[in-house]
Amino acid sequence: MEYLVTMTTHVPDGTSEQAVEDIRAREAARSRELVAQGHLLRLWRPPLQPGEWRTLGLFAADDSGQLEEVLASMPLRVWRTDEITPLSPHPNDPNAARS
């Protein structure tokens, strides 16, 4: 099953730039692992306000429990809130016709 996840990150006040850089590097590495495992399919950056961190991600998981495990494994989750939208196939999906 696929899920659209809106991930909004709020870095706590007083967090050092080094701590932010470290967790972002770990997040990037974990994202690459999730891609290799077939869980992270796409990422998008919507228009942002200054200081705002928000990402849209397309994830694949067997069920909501597995999705939660995937999201919880991402380092930025300590500062992030996730809005999850389960997706189902659309009968007019142009990608389905190519399969």
Side-chain angles (χ1 to χ4, degrees):
M1 184 165 189
E2 292 180 338
Y3 300 86
L4 180 64
V5 182
T6 302
M7 300 173 280
T8 304
T9 302
H10 300 281
V11 177
D13 290 338
T15 303
S16 72
E17 189 61 37
Q18 182 60 46
V20 171
E21 289 176 22
D22 176 62
I23 202 165
R24 289 183 94 167
R26 290 187 294 122
E27 180 84 357
R30 180 62 181 142
S31 294
R32 288 189 296 274
E33 293 170 356
L34 293 173
V35 168
Q37 295 169 5
H39 292 297
L40 178 54
L41 306 177
R42 298 286 308 270
L43 289 174
W44 295 273
R45 179 66 40 100
L48 301 173
Q49 299 299 318
E52 182 180 24
W53 287 19
R54 192 163 32 97
T55 302
L56 303 176
L58 181 62
F59 289 83
D62 293 336
D63 54 37
S64 60
Q66 184 183 48
L67 177 66
E68 177 55 32
E69 289 176 16
V70 167
L71 296 174
S73 76
M74 300 175 78
L76 276 173
R77 186 73 179 287
V78 298
W79 297 337
R80 197 178 73 215
T81 56
D82 298 328
E83 181 183 325
I84 299 166
T85 304
L87 302 173
S88 57
H90 190 285
N92 297 328
D93 180 0
N95 198 37
R98 290 186 224 141
S99 300

